[in-house]
Amino acid sequence: MDVAARNLRDRLRGALIAAAATPMTASGEVDLDVVSRYLAGLVADGVTGLAVLAHTGRGPYLAPDVRAGVIERAVALGVPVLVGVGGGPSDPAEQASVAAELGAGGVLVFPSDGDRVALHEEVWRAARLPMIAFDLYTRPCPAGTLGELLRHPGVAGLKTALLSDAMGCQRAIALTREAGRLAITGEDRMFGPSLLWGAEAALVGIAAASVGVTAAVLEAFGGKDLGAFVAASGRLDRLAQATFTEPMEGYVQRMLWLAAAEGRVPESHAYDPYGPPLPEEERAGVIASSR
């Protein structure tokens, strides 16, 4: 493993990384001052790293200047920053190069339909920035390909976000640990079990708001307090059932509803114009689930 990847792996072990949303208006306009306040609030409430412009942050849809501004605001907070690259028409290698120039600690590489190993090599050659591979429910990674990715010198870890595939999650965590990489849970719907299966850090969309709910599970798990772990996991599960449900891509809007209810973002910037429309009456139930 490259020394930069090893250093990032060790720095992120035990971390709670928020898969941050990108607050925006209904028409998709982003105010970077709103972004700054939102990200700073996540850090103040207990996240120890930020993943920006990833799946939750709708990175593939945002213009290069907006992406650069979001990265700059995140890096200024002094915590490790991972930047989502790929997943859209823009060149992921170029996106990674920009992330490196702006001081990001690593990149989260969106899964692709093509040669995933070649994609990671291209990103690595362009930026020499440590990479987190991504096993996502919309494009699950075959076990053989996953093994190849985990042998790449620039890959520091793997985020698994399979949502309903327990066996796939277990397999991915085991392969990651066997390869000496960091097993990162992105399993909002299997959060507690994924820790029991060996995940060593968390990068989750459910920490885009209600940070304390997720932090409490990690704290209880690290403290070996079974009762506290069960109670905290139950609370997180109730929240996840209300937010990570069909239509699944609606979870971004649901988390923005929560962020607005918590005062993290203004109502004017609590929209996800890239997700499916949701009935307004669902909002009350989502907010109630966080209490």
Side-chain angles (χ1 to χ4, degrees), residues 165-182:
D165 184 357
M167 291 188 294
C169 177
Q170 288 173 314
R171 179 178 63 246
I173 290 172
L175 287 171
T176 304
R177 294 186 61 126
E178 288 169 8
R181 271 57 174 184
L182 185 68

Side-chain angles (χ1 to χ4, degrees), residues 206 210-214 216-217 228-242 262 288-291:
I206 207 164
S210 301
V211 174
V213 176
T214 313
V217 181
F229 178 68
V230 170
S233 292
R235 185 182 178 200
L236 185 146
D237 285 345
R238 288 190 294 274
L239 177 59
Q241 286 173 24
E262 295 170 1
S289 72
S290 68
R291 294 171 180 157

Side-chain angles (χ1 to χ4, degrees), residues 24-257:
M24 62 184 81
T25 66
S27 61
E29 296 178 8
V30 176
D31 183 328
L32 291 175
D33 289 336
V34 171
V35 171
S36 286
R37 291 190 293 271
Y38 165 66
L39 296 178
L42 297 179
V43 173
D45 284 353
V47 304
T48 52
L50 292 167
V52 297
L53 306 172
H55 195 201
T56 309
R58 298 308 194 200
Y61 302 102
L62 302 181
D65 61 327
V66 174
R67 287 179 56 91
V70 171
I71 296 168
E72 288 174 335
R73 300 304 177 100
V75 168
L77 294 171
V79 298
V81 174
L82 302 175
V83 175
V85 299
S90 298
D91 181 1
E94 182 178 339
Q95 291 176 336
S97 295
V98 171
E101 292 169 4
L102 295 176
V107 291
L108 179 69
V109 184
F110 276 81
S112 65
D113 290 327
D115 187 333
R116 300 192 195 195
V117 177
L119 171 63
H120 284 70
E121 178 63 17
E122 180 184 357
V123 168
W124 175 245
R125 287 182 178 276
R128 290 287 165 173
L129 203 57
M131 299 177 291
I132 303 298
F134 195 2
D135 197 7
L136 182 62
Y137 66 97
T138 57
R139 289 187 177 90
C141 190
T145 302
L146 199 55
E148 287 189 67
L149 289 176
L150 291 168
R151 290 191 292 271
H152 191 287
V155 170
L158 170 76
K159 168 180 170 167
T160 174
L162 298 176
L163 288 181
S164 61
D165 184 357
M167 291 188 294
C169 177
Q170 288 173 314
R171 179 178 63 246
I173 290 172
L175 287 171
T176 304
R177 294 186 61 126
E178 288 169 8
R181 271 57 174 184
L182 185 68
I184 306 171
T185 180
E187 301 291 359
D188 304 85
R189 290 300 301 264
M190 299 187 287
F191 190 79
S194 67
L195 295 177
L196 294 169
W197 296 333
E200 303 167 282
L203 196 173
V204 284
I206 207 164
S210 301
V211 174
V213 176
T214 313
V217 181
L218 285 172
E219 182 179 356
F221 183 74
K224 311 301 182 185
D225 184 336
L226 178 59
F229 178 68
V230 170
S233 292
R235 185 182 178 200
L236 185 146
D237 285 345
R238 288 190 294 274
L239 177 59
Q241 286 173 24
T243 50
F244 285 78
T245 187
E246 298 295 343
M248 196 60 68
E249 281 299 294
Y251 86 87
V252 177
Q253 180 61 75
R254 297 180 189 111
M255 295 311 300
L256 283 165
W257 281 341

